[in-house]
Amino acid sequence: MAHFLFFLLAIICIASVLGMIISKDQAYNALFLIVAFVCMGGLFALLEAPFIAAVQIIIYAGAIMILFIFVIMMINLRKGVGPEKKRWTVYFAVVIAFVLIAELVLTVKGTLEPISSAAVEKLGNPTDLGRLLFTKYLYPFEITSILIIAALVGAIVLVKKRDKE
Amino acid sequence: MNTFYALFPLLIIVAASLLVMILEVFFKREDRSYLAYLSLLFLIASAAACVKFWNKGYSYFDGNLSLSNLSLFFCSILIVATFLVILISMKYLTLHSANYGEYYALLLFALSGMIIMVSSSDLIVIFLGLEVLSLSSYALAGLRREDEKSNEAAIKYFLLGSFASAFLVFGIAFLYGATQATAIPSIIEGLKTGSSIGTLGLVGLGLVVIGFGFKVAVVPFHMWTPDVYQGAPTPITAFFSVGPKAVGFAVLLRIFIPYFQDALESQLLFGLLWIIAAITMIAGNLIALRQTNVKRILAYSSIAHAGYLMVAILAKDILGLVFYLTAYLFMNIGAFAAVIALGKKDHEYLELEDYRGIGFRYPWIGATFAVFLISLAGFPPTGGFLAKFYVFSAAVRQGLVSLVIIGVLASLVSVFYYLRIIIYMYMREPAYEVDINYDNPSLFLALFLCLYGVLQLGIFPGNILVLIRQAVAALPFL
């Protein structure tokens, strides 16, 4: 059952990512991306990581996609941009793609053994994650709050209405 | 020693930026320079904490935050850099009607990000620090909203900076995959012992190089630099040219100097960095020859200096690298301060043509600017000369003779464009009137401090060298 679900989700995921790349309509692209994110969430759930699965769906399929759709709506880009005409960039992209595939193969070959043998850390549930965040990763966690306030202040400075003086 | 005190330098800076933001509401627009004084006060407090913790070796959060002497030295020079940048921006902000309290808050946030980066050896923490720095920088670059060039700078910096961060995270993930660690010492250890997934580690390190290559602006990844430096407000340009470069090299130093020690399979990366250093020195200096905008000239000059700093990494010369960064801080902020000094309400004089006859019309600004340019070109008796001398001699000792030859030839080329500014200032008749706002005491204080720094480092470098030696001696990985 798990295997069946895995392959089902994986195929839908890959198909929708392909659809996203091929389709020229920005709104369809966004929808395909949502489908891909939901499938990813499902894959995480299959790996017994319920928290990450939920976060994947809430943050990526929810919040980030809303942002995308807002941007598409505001810039009004329904037609989309035509494909790149320059030939050498295409060839270059093909080369890079092959390098990435080779990398992927090497990675899988290199790590197949340890993953099947070593006990997979159970990290998926919220309790463990919370405990880790507030013990081992407390410092990075606190830095994130500085990061968020810096981002917030920066964004507000750039867009707020200026008083004429 | 594991103690809460280790947080102080960072906490003071973060507290300062929050306080500045709260107080901004209560100040009228014309009174906002008080916020600058407040920030300066907090910077002094933080620097005092750094000085007090020297040789103490405090750390906290299981060593995620560790104030070794080297970290403290980097923190101090970054605080000094921010101090100088605030001094040169006080009048600039009123002249260019960009006097927002958030300016100082963002600058201090950027500083806190840099302090986080230099005081940790965990890649997750370093990445988060880099993001704090970057996000504040993007906003600072676009602060002059009515100026198109400033907007362009912010967008370019944001897009390319985000790509760089993505590369960096990807690299960190690869390194974690290869070694199951995020702390730099354990990663290096893992890469040296485990050979089965060496390729993965190499790819990871390569991606980390790309990520930081963007930040320090070495040549294949330098495209954003001239436009961002030209478009950003000039004090912020001074900050960009010093701060991110210093922290970038501080992290590269932590990773690559131990990695290059007796690692046999590091030949590939060594060659990669060799090529990057060589083309950075060549291209940076050659393109600078064709520029006529002073900010762009200084931008390409800062690219070229990243090349010399890369030579220091390859020569495994921590002393030379840290000394170079210290000298570079004073001469580069000084040069930008002189450029800011030649400005009036809503206008800056940035074209070479504007500099005709400046040396006689404004003798003090002209003379100090000339000293900074001479130092950037690397003539004695300035700090820039000794910095280059230490780095190149260390490189020769390590057998990198051909790289040093390229470096010396490239810096010969650089003499041309540095001296060209001086020739315009002293040997050309002015074509038109250049009137500037002379009432700018804080900027002249900064100019004086930079001049003092450049000459002190050039004539009596002993004091600083002793401090740097102490910092290097206490390094855990040597």
Side-chain angles (χ1 to χ4, degrees), chain B residues 39-212:
Chain B
S39 321
L40 292 179
L41 217 66
F42 274 87
L43 285 178
I44 292 172
S46 179
C50 286
V51 172
K52 210 150 170 47
F53 295 163
W54 188 260
N55 271 336
K56 294 257 170 61
Y58 287 160
S59 70
Y60 201 55
F61 294 123
D62 299 332
N64 271 348
L65 169 69
S66 82
L67 294 180
S68 66
N69 279 353
L70 188 68
S71 309
L72 284 173
F73 192 87
F74 272 119
C75 286
S76 314
I77 62 172
L78 292 169
I79 291 171
V80 170
T82 315
F83 190 90
L84 292 170
V85 168
I86 289 182
L87 282 183
I88 60 178
S89 41
M90 281 165 69
K91 187 75 178 193
Y92 181 92
L93 293 182
T94 34
L95 286 182
H96 293 266
S97 44
N99 200 2
Y100 319 118
E102 293 95 343
Y103 176 88
Y104 302 111
L106 284 171
L107 207 54
L108 292 169
F109 275 131
L111 175 63
S112 64
M114 297 197 288
I115 289 181
I116 291 167
M117 283 175 78
V118 296
S119 60
S120 176
S121 59
D122 189 283
L123 281 177
I124 294 179
V125 175
I126 288 175
F127 171 69
L128 286 169
L130 182 71
E131 282 306 282
V132 174
L133 166 66
S134 306
L135 287 174
S136 332
S137 306
Y138 304 148
L140 285 170
L143 213 60
R144 282 162 56 195
R145 284 194 316 178
E146 53 299 317
D147 182 12
E148 250 178 47
K149 282 234 180 317
S150 183
N151 287 334
E152 184 196 338
I155 278 284
K156 273 203 173 139
Y157 200 24
F158 173 62
L159 285 179
L160 288 173
S162 314
F163 271 108
S165 301
F167 277 114
L168 183 61
V169 173
F170 206 34
I172 294 173
F174 268 80
L175 286 176
Y176 182 74
T179 61
Q180 272 86 47
T182 54
I184 294 173
S186 358
I187 287 178
I188 303 293
E189 203 53 44
L191 287 179
K192 281 185 178 172
T193 50
S195 56
S196 60
I197 24 184
T199 353
L200 202 59
L202 273 184
V203 174
L205 278 180
L207 288 168
V208 169
V209 170
I210 294 177
F212 279 106

Side-chain angles (χ1 to χ4, degrees), chain A residues 60-108:
Chain A
Y60 283 94
I64 291 184
M65 281 319 297
I66 298 279
L67 270 184
F68 276 166
I69 289 172
F70 262 112
V71 170
I72 291 169
M73 200 176 74
M74 284 188 191
I75 307 181
N76 205 3
L77 265 180
R78 272 196 80 82
K79 252 298 177 224
V81 191
E84 195 69 43
K85 282 287 184 295
K86 282 184 213 149
R87 268 303 162 85
W88 69 272
T89 48
V90 177
Y91 291 129
F92 191 61
V94 169
V95 172
I96 294 279
F98 272 109
V99 170
L100 281 177
I101 288 177
E103 210 177 287
L104 197 66
V105 170
L106 275 175
T107 313
V108 171

Side-chain angles (χ1 to χ4, degrees), chain A residues 106-128:
Chain A
L106 275 175
T107 313
V108 171
K109 255 178 80 177
T111 48
L112 220 46
E113 284 303 314
I115 281 184
S116 54
S117 62
V120 180
E121 272 185 83
K122 287 266 185 289
L123 253 184
N125 71 37
T127 328
D128 292 344

